[in-house]
């Protein structure tokens, strides 16, 4: 089942204008509206949050808006600039979320995330990340995933929740209470339905089709069928600037996995040849399969470093053939190097001169495309005295850092996600515990080493100005070794609660 995300930016036009004006933009509390022409009338096309709170809505004549709201800042709309900005945003999401991303003008995007959500931890984490990224850029956003473009578009614009997931098969119940405006119908049809007393999609779906088609034409039935998935709606993705791309059209639609694999094997060498001419290697590869019913299936694979190895790329793509739903057949295949980087030419190492370094990039690529790039990483040191801040996650094949792990005190092989409180008895101010109780088990300390005093990072947080921790390496009578600390210096209450915690376990 296809999964489609509608990404809605309700304040996109005015927000983009504010970003463009920078310091010259009106203050956030000053209402801003953009005006343009609808036929012969000059009307308000979009408003910001301050104007919306005053009650101003798109469609209001400009003269009326100026009369009702004297403090309103009115500027000319820039539809071409809005669309160009959306296209740039679509390319940005195409690089990070899914290969099929299109502009849903004038204030949104549509993404086909079928088979891509697991690379981001699932649908909910993916949507939260998208909304969070836009919030960081200063834009409010709503994101909805559903089975169809029409359903996701409707719920994103007329639903209440900023993030919503419509389960597969739940489109009918999710759309029933939404207004008919959510179906992307022309205003003349909406006004006509209002005269009939039809205001909700549920009411509209219960009406016979023939009288509706006779009175309003085919648009009503078409939009209903698109929203409920009875007919397909093609999502034409944006294209990166001048990508390396190869394609193959078929006189007869194909659908067998073996046939798809055979043509992948024919397209990849052509793509690698184009990459070689530019001196590039691919980092992200998208295979788009256009079906005869206007739907597009997509496969995305990524590599940890620039690659143009025909066998490796062919294998990575063929491993995902089982995720393709060919429907009634595939009539066109397009292979795109959506992200490519310059690739250094290196001389092959001779065994007579030096030992060749083991290349694990192929294994990394295989694992990352199965479990997701976010699930494959390694740890790198960070300059921080606090143990929980002394490391970070980096890509598996990221360059080695010049910083190194601290050597003056050994660190446990396993650091707990959060320090766990323990009950302990120790002589103050700087003696190790005689025993401690962790997870209901009493452990008598046989020997210990410490304390290692660690202070808070006062330059990051005022609350850490006075805190201190005393760490001890202890070994119990059974031979197990633990890393304990006391929150405080054992003498002054402002340095901590003086409670004991277990932070790690030695191997």
């Amino acid at each position: 089942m296809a999964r489609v995300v509608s990404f809605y930016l309700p304040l996109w036009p005015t927000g983009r204008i504010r970003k463009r004006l920078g310091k010259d933009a009106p203050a956030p509390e000053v209402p801003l509206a953009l005006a343009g022409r609808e036929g012969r009338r000059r009307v308000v096309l979009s408003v910001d949050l301050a104007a919306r709170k005053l009650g101003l809505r798109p469609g209001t004549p400009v003269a009326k808006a100026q009369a009702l709201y004297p403090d309103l800042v009115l500027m000319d709309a820039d539809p071409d600039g809005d669309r160009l900005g959306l296209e740039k945003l679509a390319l940005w999401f195409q690089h990070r979320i899914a290969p099929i991303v299109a502009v849903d003008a004038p204030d949104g995007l549509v993404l086909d995330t079928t088979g891509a959500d697991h690379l981001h931890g699932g649908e909910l984490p993916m949507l939260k990340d998208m909304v969070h990224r836009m919030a960081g850029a200063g834009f409010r956003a709503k994101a909805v995933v559903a089975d169809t473009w029409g359903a996701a578009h409707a719920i994103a614009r007329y639903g209440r929740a900023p993030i919503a997931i419509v389960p597969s098969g739940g489109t009918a119940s999710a759309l029933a209470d939404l207004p008919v405006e959510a179906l992307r119908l022309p205003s003349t049809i909406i006004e006509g339905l209002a005269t009939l007393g039809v205001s909700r999609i549920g009411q509209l779906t219960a009406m016979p089709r023939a009288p509706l088609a006779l009175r309003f034409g085919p648009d009503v039935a078409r939009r209903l069928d698109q929203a409920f998935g009875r007919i397909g709606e093609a999502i034409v993705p944006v294209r990166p600037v001048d990508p390396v791309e190869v394609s193959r059209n078929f006189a007869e639609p194909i659908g067998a996995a073996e046939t798809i694999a055979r043509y992948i094997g024919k397209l990849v060498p052509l793509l690698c040849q184009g990459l070689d001419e530019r001196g590039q290697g691919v980092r992200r590869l998208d295979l788009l399969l256009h079906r005869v019913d206007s739907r597009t299936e997509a496969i995305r694979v990524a590599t940890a470093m620039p690659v143009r190895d025909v066998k490796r790329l062919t294998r990575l793509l063929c491993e995902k053939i089982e995720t393709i739903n060919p429907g009634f057949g595939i009539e066109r295949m397009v292979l795109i190097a959506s992200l490519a980087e310059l690739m250094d030419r290196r001389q092959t190492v001779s065994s007579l001169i030096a030992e060749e370094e083991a290349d694990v990039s192929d294994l990394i690529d295989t694992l990352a495309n199965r479990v997701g790039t976010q699930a494959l990483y390694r740890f790198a040191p960070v300059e921080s005295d606090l143990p929980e801040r002394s490391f970070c996650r980096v890509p598996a094949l990221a360059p080695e850092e010049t910083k190194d792990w601290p050597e003056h005190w050994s660190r446990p092989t396993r650091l707990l996600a959060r320090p766990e409180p323990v009950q302990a008895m120790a002589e103050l101010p700087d003696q190790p515990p005689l025993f401690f109780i962790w997870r209901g088990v009493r452990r008598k300390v046989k020997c210990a080493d410490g304390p290692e005093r660690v202070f808070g990072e006062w330059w990051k947080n005022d609350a850490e100005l006075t805190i201190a921790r005393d760490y001890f390496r202890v070994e119990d009578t059974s031979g197990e070794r633990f890393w304990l600390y006391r929150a405080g210096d054992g003498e002054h209450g402002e340095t901590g609660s003086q409670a004991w915690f277990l932070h790690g376990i030695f191997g």
Side-chain angles (χ1 to χ4, degrees), residues 72-84:
L72 179 67
V73 176
L74 202 64
M75 303 182 68
D76 290 332
D78 182 16
D80 293 336
D82 293 338
R83 185 171 184 90
L84 181 60

Side-chain angles (χ1 to χ4, degrees), residues 32-55:
L32 171 66
L34 304 181
R37 291 197 173 275
E38 282 187 357
R40 296 183 178 181
R41 297 193 311 160
R42 184 169 167 81
V43 299
V44 172
L45 295 181
S46 59
V47 297
D48 70 349
L49 187 60
R52 190 179 295 272
K53 289 180 178 179
L54 294 176

Side-chain angles (χ1 to χ4, degrees), residues 174-228:
L175 294 180
D177 292 332
L178 297 184
V180 293
E181 290 90 339
L183 291 175
R184 299 173 289 169
L185 293 169
S187 57
T188 54
I189 294 180
I190 293 172
E191 293 171 0
L193 291 171
T195 60
L196 297 177
V198 179
S199 61
R200 301 291 169 183
I201 294 177
Q203 296 174 282
L204 188 61
T205 56
M207 298 179 67
R209 292 289 184 91
L212 288 174
L214 184 62
R215 181 164 182 170
F216 301 109
D219 285 346
V220 175
R222 179 172 59 87
R223 288 303 191 188
L224 282 173
D225 289 340
Q226 287 175 343
F228 289 100

